[in-house]
Amino acid sequence: DLIIGVGFLFADAMTEVATANPDTYFGIIDSAVDPANVSGMVFAEEQGSYLVGVAAGLKTTTNKIGFIGGVEFPLIQKFEAGFVAGVAAACPSCTVDVKYVTYPPDFGGFNDAAKAKEIALAQYEEGADIIYHAAGGAGNGLFEAAKEVSDNTGTKVWAIGVDSDQYLVVDDDLKPHLLSSMMKEVGNGIYLAIQSHITGNWAAGQVTYTLENGGVGYATSGGYVDDIVSQLEAFKSQIVNGDIV
């Protein structure tokens, strides 16, 4: 009686199937569609990205930071906007070099690790010491670049992961280069959606999962941001209470 499609690519199929099955409840991740029996489960990626932007602004030693998006379209631009704002809040003199792997209608950028690595190597070469990616599987190219540059130059550079705690899934030789990850807690969103259905509080239309309800956050695995957690939490509180919009 409840079916959840994980990903914005399900939008057309969800619209068709939900319309044909009005007595079944549906949820879709990262999109909102019209049928009245569908919950559009979206996430405040800009909020989590803001916090890892703050982390980058506090940790940089070169005041040059990079962002790599998989494809330039509104969903990924949310990550970019939040990150750039977070960097600016923590380090007003910092600059963020923004690059995308591909542009619509080419959505292959999420899987092009080679191109992402090429972009990352260029950003590190130009002085960036921290790069955040919102590029799906292509982000593996960033992690490889961070290790390669660090090994070749003897100067530590960092990467910031996305969506999950990527420190937990990368190879061991890459872990020392994962400063943090922007956590997109899809599991929490799905849990809350199921809970709302079971308790009779189902809401159709767009539902946004935020810092306040555990929809997004940042990872501390590796301990590389332990010294700035109090500052990150202070910024988080300002977002939750509306002082930062």
Side-chain angles (χ1 to χ4, degrees), residues 216-237:
V216 291
Y218 62 92
T220 58
S221 296
Y224 304 125
V225 296
D226 285 357
D227 59 322
I228 59 169
V229 163
S230 62
Q231 291 160 282
L232 295 176
E233 288 299 305
F235 277 100
K236 176 180 176 179
S237 295

Side-chain angles (χ1 to χ4, degrees), residues 1 10 25-26 80 82 89 91 99 105 111 135 147 154-155 213 217 227 230 238:
D1 55 354
F10 280 101
Y25 292 94
F26 294 85
E80 175 198 336
C91 178
K99 293 288 190 297
N111 298 307
K147 179 181 185 302
T155 301
N213 59 18
D227 59 322
S230 62
Q238 291 180 68

